Amino acid sequence: MANPSNLNDIIQRMLNGNQSDEDVEALRQWLNSGGIQNLQVGKYNVNIGQGQDIHIGDRTYQGLNAEAIREVARAVIQGSNATDIREIVRSILKEESQNLAQRENPQSSSRKTILVLASSPTNKARLRLDKEVREIDEGLRRSQHREKFTLQQRWALRPDDLRHALLDFNPEIIHFCGHGSGDDGLVLENDAGLAQLVPTEALANLFKRFATRGLECVVLNACYSEIQANAIAQHIDYIVGMSSQIGDDAAIKFAVGFYDELGAGWSYEDAYSGGCDAIALQGIPEEHTPVFKNLKKKST
Protein backbone atom coordinates (compact mmCIF):
# COMPACT_ATOMS: atom_id res chain seq x y z
CA MET A 1 0.00 0.00 0.00
CA ALA A 2 1.36 3.43 -0.94
CA ASN A 3 2.01 5.92 1.85
CA PRO A 4 1.93 9.73 1.46
CA SER A 5 5.69 9.89 0.91
CA ASN A 6 6.00 7.48 -2.00
CA LEU A 7 2.54 8.47 -3.24
CA ASN A 8 3.87 11.95 -3.93
CA ASP A 9 6.67 10.38 -5.96
CA ILE A 10 4.11 8.38 -7.95
CA ILE A 11 1.95 11.44 -8.61
CA GLN A 12 4.96 13.48 -9.66
CA ARG A 13 5.90 10.78 -12.17
CA MET A 14 2.34 10.86 -13.50
CA LEU A 15 2.38 14.63 -13.90
CA ASN A 16 5.70 14.31 -15.73
CA GLY A 17 4.30 11.56 -17.96
CA ASN A 18 6.76 8.80 -17.01
CA GLN A 19 4.72 6.60 -14.67
CA SER A 20 4.57 2.80 -14.87
CA ASP A 21 1.68 0.35 -14.62
CA GLU A 22 2.96 -0.46 -11.12
CA ASP A 23 2.54 3.21 -10.18
CA VAL A 24 -1.02 3.18 -11.49
CA GLU A 25 -1.86 0.03 -9.55
CA ALA A 26 -0.40 1.46 -6.33
CA LEU A 27 -2.47 4.61 -6.77
CA ARG A 28 -5.58 2.54 -7.50
CA GLN A 29 -5.17 0.59 -4.27
CA TRP A 30 -4.63 3.76 -2.29
CA LEU A 31 -7.68 5.45 -3.81
CA ASN A 32 -9.83 2.42 -3.07
CA SER A 33 -8.73 2.63 0.55
CA GLY A 34 -10.15 6.16 0.79
CA GLY A 35 -6.74 7.70 1.29
CA ILE A 36 -7.23 11.26 -0.01
CA GLN A 37 -9.01 13.92 2.01
CA ASN A 38 -12.56 14.49 0.69
CA LEU A 39 -12.29 11.43 -1.54
CA GLN A 40 -15.55 9.75 -2.42
CA VAL A 41 -15.19 6.42 -4.18
CA GLY A 42 -17.96 4.74 -6.10
CA LYS A 43 -17.92 2.56 -9.18
CA TYR A 44 -17.75 5.63 -11.45
CA ASN A 45 -17.63 8.43 -8.90
CA VAL A 46 -14.42 9.98 -7.66
CA ASN A 47 -14.37 13.51 -6.33
CA ILE A 48 -11.19 14.85 -4.80
CA GLY A 49 -12.32 18.17 -3.40
CA GLN A 50 -13.48 19.63 -6.72
CA GLY A 51 -12.05 23.12 -7.16
CA GLN A 52 -9.85 22.79 -4.06
CA ASP A 53 -6.18 22.21 -3.38
CA ILE A 54 -5.15 18.59 -2.84
CA HIS A 55 -3.07 17.76 0.25
CA ILE A 56 -1.03 14.55 0.38
CA GLY A 57 1.35 14.27 3.31
CA ASP A 58 3.34 17.48 3.46
CA ARG A 59 2.70 18.43 -0.17
CA THR A 60 -0.04 20.58 -1.65
CA TYR A 61 -1.13 20.39 -5.28
CA GLN A 62 -2.83 23.43 -6.76
CA GLY A 63 -4.24 24.73 -10.02
CA LEU A 64 -3.43 22.69 -13.10
CA ASN A 65 -1.72 19.92 -11.19
CA ALA A 66 -4.69 19.49 -8.85
CA GLU A 67 -7.07 19.32 -11.81
CA ALA A 68 -4.88 16.74 -13.50
CA ILE A 69 -4.78 14.62 -10.33
CA ARG A 70 -8.59 14.69 -10.13
CA GLU A 71 -8.86 13.41 -13.69
CA VAL A 72 -6.19 10.79 -13.07
CA ALA A 73 -8.05 9.56 -9.99
CA ARG A 74 -11.26 9.14 -11.97
CA ALA A 75 -9.43 7.27 -14.71
CA VAL A 76 -7.52 5.02 -12.31
CA ILE A 77 -10.68 3.98 -10.49
CA GLN A 78 -12.25 3.13 -13.85
CA GLY A 79 -9.35 0.84 -14.79
CA SER A 80 -7.10 2.97 -17.02
CA ASN A 81 -3.51 1.87 -17.57
CA ALA A 82 -0.26 3.85 -17.64
CA THR A 83 -0.59 4.75 -21.32
CA ASP A 84 -4.14 6.04 -20.82
CA ILE A 85 -3.07 8.08 -17.80
CA ARG A 86 -0.20 9.65 -19.71
CA GLU A 87 -2.58 10.86 -22.43
CA ILE A 88 -5.12 12.12 -19.88
CA VAL A 89 -2.52 14.19 -18.05
CA ARG A 90 -1.10 15.58 -21.29
CA SER A 91 -4.56 16.53 -22.52
CA ILE A 92 -5.70 18.11 -19.25
CA LEU A 93 -2.57 20.18 -18.73
CA LYS A 94 -2.60 21.39 -22.35
CA GLU A 95 -6.30 22.30 -22.30
CA GLU A 96 -6.17 23.96 -18.91
CA SER A 97 -3.04 25.93 -19.87
CA GLN A 98 -4.83 27.28 -22.94
CA ASN A 99 -7.87 28.22 -20.86
CA LEU A 100 -5.66 29.91 -18.28
CA ALA A 101 -3.87 31.91 -20.98
CA GLN A 102 -7.20 33.10 -22.35
CA ARG A 103 -8.41 34.11 -18.89
CA GLU A 104 -5.20 36.05 -18.26
CA ASN A 105 -5.34 37.74 -21.68
CA PRO A 106 -8.97 37.67 -22.87
CA GLN A 107 -8.20 39.84 -25.91
CA SER A 108 -5.84 37.20 -27.30
CA SER A 109 -8.71 34.81 -28.01
CA SER A 110 -10.48 37.45 -30.14
CA ARG A 111 -7.47 38.22 -32.36
CA LYS A 112 -7.69 37.23 -35.99
CA THR A 113 -4.61 35.68 -37.54
CA ILE A 114 -3.69 36.87 -41.02
CA LEU A 115 -1.43 34.34 -42.69
CA VAL A 116 0.57 35.75 -45.60
CA LEU A 117 1.76 33.10 -48.04
CA ALA A 118 4.33 34.34 -50.54
CA SER A 119 5.73 32.55 -53.57
CA SER A 120 7.98 33.92 -56.31
CA PRO A 121 9.81 31.09 -58.12
CA THR A 122 13.16 31.93 -59.66
CA ASN A 123 11.97 30.92 -63.14
CA LYS A 124 9.03 33.34 -63.05
CA ALA A 125 8.94 37.13 -63.31
CA ARG A 126 10.13 38.69 -60.07
CA LEU A 127 7.38 40.23 -57.95
CA ARG A 128 7.84 42.86 -55.25
CA LEU A 129 6.29 40.68 -52.59
CA ASP A 130 8.53 42.10 -49.87
CA LYS A 131 7.07 45.56 -50.51
CA GLU A 132 3.52 44.21 -50.48
CA VAL A 133 3.94 42.40 -47.17
CA ARG A 134 5.86 45.27 -45.58
CA GLU A 135 3.11 47.74 -46.44
CA ILE A 136 0.40 45.39 -45.15
CA ASP A 137 2.32 45.04 -41.89
CA GLU A 138 2.92 48.78 -41.52
CA GLY A 139 -0.73 49.54 -42.27
CA LEU A 140 -1.97 47.14 -39.63
CA ARG A 141 0.51 48.46 -37.06
CA ARG A 142 -0.80 52.00 -37.41
CA SER A 143 -4.47 51.00 -37.66
CA GLN A 144 -7.13 51.81 -35.10
CA HIS A 145 -7.80 48.14 -34.33
CA ARG A 146 -4.25 46.80 -34.59
CA GLU A 147 -4.71 44.75 -31.41
CA LYS A 148 -7.30 42.61 -33.19
CA PHE A 149 -4.88 41.16 -35.74
CA THR A 150 -1.76 39.03 -35.73
CA LEU A 151 0.28 38.85 -38.94
CA GLN A 152 2.15 35.63 -39.73
CA GLN A 153 4.27 35.02 -42.84
CA ARG A 154 5.58 32.10 -44.86
CA TRP A 155 7.92 32.72 -47.80
CA ALA A 156 9.16 30.64 -50.76
CA LEU A 157 6.01 28.58 -50.28
CA ARG A 158 6.07 24.91 -51.28
CA PRO A 159 2.98 22.65 -51.20
CA ASP A 160 4.00 21.05 -47.90
CA ASP A 161 4.75 24.50 -46.47
CA LEU A 162 1.16 25.47 -47.25
CA ARG A 163 -0.24 22.57 -45.23
CA HIS A 164 2.16 23.12 -42.38
CA ALA A 165 1.39 26.84 -42.18
CA LEU A 166 -2.34 26.20 -41.95
CA LEU A 167 -1.79 23.65 -39.20
CA ASP A 168 0.67 25.86 -37.33
CA PHE A 169 -1.41 29.04 -37.33
CA ASN A 170 -5.04 28.01 -38.04
CA PRO A 171 -5.69 31.45 -39.55
CA GLU A 172 -8.94 33.33 -40.00
CA ILE A 173 -7.54 35.14 -43.05
CA ILE A 174 -5.19 33.85 -45.75
CA HIS A 175 -3.42 36.26 -48.09
CA PHE A 176 -1.61 34.63 -51.00
CA CYS A 177 0.72 36.81 -53.03
CA GLY A 178 2.48 35.43 -56.05
CA HIS A 179 1.76 34.09 -59.52
CA GLY A 180 -1.42 32.51 -60.81
CA SER A 181 -1.84 30.39 -63.89
CA GLY A 182 -5.58 30.33 -64.52
CA ASP A 183 -6.93 26.84 -65.19
CA ASP A 184 -3.56 25.30 -64.32
CA GLY A 185 -3.67 26.46 -60.69
CA LEU A 186 -1.66 28.65 -58.36
CA VAL A 187 2.11 28.78 -58.67
CA LEU A 188 4.09 27.68 -55.61
CA GLU A 189 7.72 26.56 -55.46
CA ASN A 190 9.47 23.22 -55.44
CA ASP A 191 12.56 22.32 -53.41
CA ALA A 192 14.78 23.93 -56.06
CA GLY A 193 12.86 27.21 -55.96
CA LEU A 194 11.27 26.62 -59.36
CA ALA A 195 7.58 26.91 -60.20
CA GLN A 196 5.27 24.12 -59.07
CA LEU A 197 1.57 24.29 -59.86
CA VAL A 198 -1.04 23.44 -57.24
CA PRO A 199 -4.31 22.25 -58.84
CA THR A 200 -7.46 24.21 -58.15
CA GLU A 201 -9.40 21.24 -56.79
CA ALA A 202 -6.64 20.31 -54.35
CA LEU A 203 -6.49 23.88 -53.07
CA ALA A 204 -10.27 24.08 -52.65
CA ASN A 205 -10.38 20.77 -50.78
CA LEU A 206 -7.64 21.90 -48.41
CA PHE A 207 -9.37 25.16 -47.58
CA LYS A 208 -12.71 23.37 -47.23
CA ARG A 209 -11.37 21.47 -44.21
CA PHE A 210 -10.10 24.64 -42.59
CA ALA A 211 -13.44 26.39 -43.08
CA THR A 212 -14.72 24.31 -40.17
CA ARG A 213 -11.72 25.41 -38.10
CA GLY A 214 -12.34 29.13 -38.41
CA LEU A 215 -11.00 30.16 -41.83
CA GLU A 216 -13.20 33.08 -42.94
CA CYS A 217 -11.50 34.88 -45.79
CA VAL A 218 -9.00 34.07 -48.55
CA VAL A 219 -7.32 36.73 -50.70
CA LEU A 220 -5.60 35.43 -53.83
CA ASN A 221 -3.51 38.38 -54.94
CA ALA A 222 -2.29 36.65 -58.10
CA CYS A 223 -3.02 36.91 -61.81
CA TYR A 224 -5.96 34.92 -63.20
CA SER A 225 -6.86 33.57 -59.75
CA GLU A 226 -10.62 34.03 -60.14
CA ILE A 227 -10.82 30.37 -61.18
CA GLN A 228 -9.39 29.28 -57.84
CA ALA A 229 -11.56 31.86 -56.07
CA ASN A 230 -14.71 30.36 -57.61
CA ALA A 231 -13.77 26.89 -56.38
CA ILE A 232 -12.77 28.00 -52.89
CA ALA A 233 -15.89 30.18 -52.61
CA GLN A 234 -17.96 27.00 -52.40
CA HIS A 235 -16.56 26.52 -48.90
CA ILE A 236 -15.17 29.83 -47.56
CA ASP A 237 -17.44 32.77 -46.73
CA TYR A 238 -15.35 35.54 -48.26
CA ILE A 239 -12.79 35.33 -51.03
CA VAL A 240 -11.01 37.66 -53.44
CA GLY A 241 -9.44 36.62 -56.73
CA MET A 242 -8.17 38.38 -59.85
CA SER A 243 -10.15 38.17 -63.08
CA SER A 244 -7.13 38.77 -65.31
CA GLN A 245 -3.49 39.78 -65.14
CA ILE A 246 -2.73 42.36 -62.47
CA GLY A 247 0.38 44.51 -62.27
CA ASP A 248 2.64 44.75 -59.25
CA ASP A 249 1.60 48.30 -58.40
CA ALA A 250 -2.11 47.48 -58.55
CA ALA A 251 -1.67 44.29 -56.51
CA ILE A 252 0.23 46.15 -53.81
CA LYS A 253 -2.28 49.00 -53.66
CA PHE A 254 -5.17 46.56 -53.44
CA ALA A 255 -3.53 44.70 -50.55
CA VAL A 256 -2.79 47.91 -48.66
CA GLY A 257 -6.31 49.26 -49.15
CA PHE A 258 -7.87 45.93 -48.15
CA TYR A 259 -6.04 45.66 -44.83
CA ASP A 260 -6.35 49.38 -44.08
CA GLU A 261 -10.12 48.85 -44.08
CA LEU A 262 -9.94 45.74 -41.91
CA GLY A 263 -7.63 47.54 -39.50
CA ALA A 264 -10.18 50.34 -39.26
CA GLY A 265 -12.85 47.85 -38.20
CA TRP A 266 -14.79 47.45 -41.44
CA SER A 267 -16.15 44.27 -43.04
CA TYR A 268 -14.50 42.02 -45.63
CA GLU A 269 -16.74 43.47 -48.33
CA ASP A 270 -15.77 46.99 -47.29
CA ALA A 271 -12.13 45.90 -47.34
CA TYR A 272 -12.53 44.67 -50.92
CA SER A 273 -14.05 47.99 -51.96
CA GLY A 274 -11.28 49.85 -50.15
CA GLY A 275 -8.69 47.86 -52.05
CA CYS A 276 -10.30 48.67 -55.39
CA ASP A 277 -10.52 52.34 -54.41
CA ALA A 278 -6.82 52.35 -53.54
CA ILE A 279 -6.01 51.17 -57.07
CA ALA A 280 -8.30 53.72 -58.72
CA LEU A 281 -7.04 56.65 -56.65
CA GLN A 282 -3.53 56.01 -57.98
CA GLY A 283 -4.83 56.31 -61.54
CA ILE A 284 -4.07 52.65 -62.25
CA PRO A 285 -6.76 51.32 -64.63
CA GLU A 286 -7.06 47.94 -62.91
CA GLU A 287 -9.60 48.62 -60.17
CA HIS A 288 -12.05 46.16 -61.73
CA THR A 289 -9.57 43.28 -61.82
CA PRO A 290 -10.16 42.12 -58.22
CA VAL A 291 -13.41 40.17 -57.78
CA PHE A 292 -15.21 39.47 -54.52
CA LYS A 293 -17.08 36.26 -53.70
CA ASN A 294 -19.47 36.04 -50.75
CA LEU A 295 -20.71 32.56 -49.89
CA LYS A 296 -23.15 33.92 -47.30
CA LYS A 297 -24.91 36.14 -49.84
CA LYS A 298 -24.96 33.31 -52.34
CA SER A 299 -26.67 30.99 -49.86
CA THR A 300 -29.41 33.47 -48.88
Side-chain angles (χ1 to χ4, degrees):
M1 179 72 65
N3 58 51
S5 176
N6 62 21
L7 183 65
N8 279 317
D9 293 337
I10 290 171
I11 287 177
Q12 196 59 54
R13 286 196 291 273
M14 288 184 172
L15 293 176
N16 291 335
N18 55 13
Q19 77 284 350
S20 66
D21 283 325
E22 288 76 16
D23 289 335
V24 174
E25 183 56 34
L27 179 59
R28 182 177 292 117
Q29 292 179 14
W30 193 74
L31 288 171
N32 283 327
S33 73
I36 289 184
Q37 180 183 8
N38 296 327
L39 176 65
Q40 298 173 1
V41 180
K43 185 174 182 182
Y44 298 107
N45 177 25
V46 177
N47 178 13
I48 310 174
Q50 187 68 33
Q52 303 173 13
D53 297 344
I54 295 175
H55 304 277
I56 302 175
D58 60 355
R59 291 201 59 175
T60 299
Y61 297 90
Q62 300 174 314
L64 301 181
N65 285 341
E67 182 62 28
I69 292 171
R70 291 186 187 98
E71 294 301 322
V72 165
R74 295 185 183 97
V76 167
I77 288 295
Q78 295 176 26
S80 297
N81 59 27
T83 301
D84 296 332
I85 297 300
R86 187 175 296 111
E87 181 60 26
I88 288 167
V89 172
R90 186 200 65 79
S91 177
I92 288 296
L93 292 182
K94 179 180 178 181
E95 180 181 351
E96 289 300 314
S97 294
Q98 291 172 340
N99 292 340
L100 180 62
Q102 288 185 359
R103 289 194 295 270
E104 291 176 346
N105 185 14
Q107 284 191 338
S108 66
S109 61
S110 63
R111 279 178 176 257
K112 291 184 186 293
T113 296
I114 301 168
L115 176 58
V116 174
L117 303 170
S119 173
S120 186
T122 57
N123 59 336
K124 290 285 186 178
R126 183 179 179 276
L127 301 172
R128 291 183 295 165
L129 304 184
D130 54 343
K131 177 177 173 63
E132 179 175 341
V133 177
R134 183 177 66 250
E135 294 203 13
I136 291 172
D137 187 27
E138 290 175 354
L140 287 171
R141 287 178 184 275
R142 65 173 177 266
S143 69
Q144 182 179 357
H145 296 284
R146 55 187 172 274
E147 77 283 352
K148 294 185 177 181
F149 298 96
T150 299
L151 189 68
Q152 302 289 353
Q153 306 172 27
R154 284 292 182 267
W155 294 80
L157 193 74
R158 300 167 299 179
D160 280 346
D161 297 331
L162 172 59
R163 290 190 305 102
H164 295 157
L166 288 171
L167 291 169
D168 288 345
F169 299 115
N170 196 30
E172 284 78 22
I173 303 166
I174 289 176
H175 181 94
F176 174 79
C177 47
H179 291 282
S181 191
D183 290 330
D184 294 329
L186 285 185
V187 181
L188 302 190
E189 301 183 22
N190 63 17
D191 290 339
L194 303 177
Q196 179 170 339
L197 290 167
V198 173
T200 298
E201 184 178 0
L203 201 63
N205 287 337
L206 176 65
F207 289 157
K208 176 182 178 180
R209 292 197 300 109
F210 282 86
T212 63
R213 304 176 186 180
L215 181 58
E216 301 172 348
C217 177
V218 175
V219 178
L220 302 177
N221 206 7
C223 299
Y224 305 107
S225 56
E226 184 178 8
I227 292 172
Q228 288 74 45
N230 285 332
I232 297 168
Q234 304 304 309
H235 315 296
I236 304 297
D237 288 340
Y238 307 99
I239 184 160
V240 176
M242 302 298 158
S243 60
S244 61
Q245 184 174 348
I246 186 167
D248 244 4
D249 289 339
I252 292 171
K253 287 301 175 186
F254 177 81
V256 172
F258 186 92
Y259 292 103
D260 280 351
E261 294 274 336
L262 284 188
W266 297 103
S267 69
Y268 290 119
E269 189 164 3
D270 288 321
Y272 161 74
S273 298
C276 294
D277 288 343
I279 296 173
L281 286 168
Q282 291 294 322
I284 304 172
E286 298 179 60
E287 70 271 20
H288 299 300
T289 300
V291 290
F292 182 73
K293 314 286 181 179
N294 186 337
L295 178 60
K296 287 187 174 180
K297 279 190 175 180
K298 183 178 178 180
S299 62
T300 57

